[in-house]
């Protein structure tokens, strides 16, 4: 009986163990990205370029979150070509994403795999008259893998592949690959 009382008291004093730590409610993400034109006549004269991404996820439930983010990139565009060669320049591309993300925690929550689906918007350097074409609403979907760096799972490394495209006749499709850091605050109840 004494052993049972001692173990019970020790268990109460220990507090929650790490596998019992809840998922973080507010997740802020920042990372470096690569922007790639995939398909569509508006992206035909562009090649890959560097970029960055910042995002926020509000974890509504353990397996569902609402997210929003902003990606800025500088793909290389072909301006003009003549008999002496072509002129290339960096163009500014801004992509907004928002939607829902389904999350599957693995390895006691230290690894998270997720897929996202939602809307987006693209802003081109010259707006409605630019070489990219017009600014427009897009459809976006993504896949993400995040790996915890600490026992509380507040800091995670992530790798995300996100695709933006228009619906209907394909005029532009962009893919970004992002490696970043996620910092989580607050816990789900």
């Amino acid at each position: 009986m004494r052993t049972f009382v001692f173990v019970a008291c020790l268990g109460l004093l220990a507090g929650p163990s790490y596998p019992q730590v809840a998922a973080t409610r507010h997740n802020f993400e920042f990372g470096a990205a690569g922007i790639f034109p995939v398909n569509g006549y508006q992206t035909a004269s562009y090649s890959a370029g560097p970029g960055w991404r910042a995002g926020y996820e509000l974890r509504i439930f353990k397996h569902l979150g609402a997210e929003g983010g902003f990606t800025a990139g500088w793909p290389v565009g072909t301006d003009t070509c003549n008999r002496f060669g072509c002129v290339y320049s960096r163009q500014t591309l801004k992509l907004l994403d928002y939607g829902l993300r389904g999350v599957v925690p693995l390895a006691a929550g230290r690894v998270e795999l997720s897929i996202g689906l939602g809307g987006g918007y693209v802003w081109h350097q010259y707006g409605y008259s630019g070489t990219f074409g017009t600014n427009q609403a897009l459809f976006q979907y993504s896949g993400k893998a995040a790996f915890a760096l600490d026992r509380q799972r507040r800091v995670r490394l992530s790798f995300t592949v996100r695709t933006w495209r228009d619906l209907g006749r394909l005029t532009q499709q962009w893919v970004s690959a992002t490696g970043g850091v996620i910092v989580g605050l607050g816990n789900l109840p």
Side-chain angles (χ1 to χ4, degrees):
M1 182 68 178
R2 283 183 152 169
T3 306
F4 174 76
V5 172
F6 177 73
V7 171
C9 288
L10 202 58
L12 291 173
L13 293 175
S17 64
Y18 289 115
Q20 295 172 344
V21 174
T24 55
R25 180 173 293 279
H26 307 281
N27 297 299
F28 299 90
E29 180 179 9
F30 188 78
I35 305 288
F36 307 93
V38 177
N39 204 347
Y41 71 88
Q42 291 182 353
T43 63
S45 62
Y46 293 92
S47 60
W52 62 271
R53 181 177 194 284
Y56 170 76
E57 176 190 19
L58 173 65
R59 189 70 64 90
I60 301 168
F61 303 111
K62 182 177 181 179
H63 298 287
L64 181 68
E67 70 169 349
F70 178 78
T71 303
W74 300 276
V76 177
T78 304
D79 293 333
T80 60
C81 288
N82 58 30
R83 64 182 179 174
F84 300 110
C86 295
V87 176
Y88 302 98
S89 67
R90 292 254 180 226
Q91 304 288 327
T92 302
L93 177 68
K94 299 172 188 164
L95 296 157
L96 175 72
D97 60 86
Y98 50 88
L100 295 176
R101 176 165 295 283
V103 181
V104 177
L106 303 172
R110 293 188 54 83
V111 176
E112 289 184 347
L113 300 178
S114 62
I115 57 171
L117 185 68
Y121 198 82
V122 61
W123 288 277
H124 300 293
Q125 184 170 353
Y126 301 108
Y128 287 99
S129 63
T131 53
F132 278 118
T134 60
N135 298 338
Q136 70 184 69
L138 300 173
F139 172 70
Q140 65 87 18
Y141 51 94
S142 63
K144 181 191 293 187
F147 308 94
L149 296 178
D150 61 343
R151 289 181 161 232
Q152 292 84 12
R153 300 184 293 265
R154 300 219 182 269
V155 179
R156 297 183 297 271
L157 284 179
S158 69
F159 180 73
T160 307
V161 175
R162 186 177 311 274
T163 300
W164 291 268
R165 62 166 292 157
D166 51 352
L167 296 174
R169 183 173 155 241
L170 185 62
T171 60
Q172 61 182 320
Q173 182 176 6
W174 300 92
V175 170
S176 72
T178 306
V181 175
I182 300 172
V183 176
L185 302 173
N187 286 336
L188 286 173

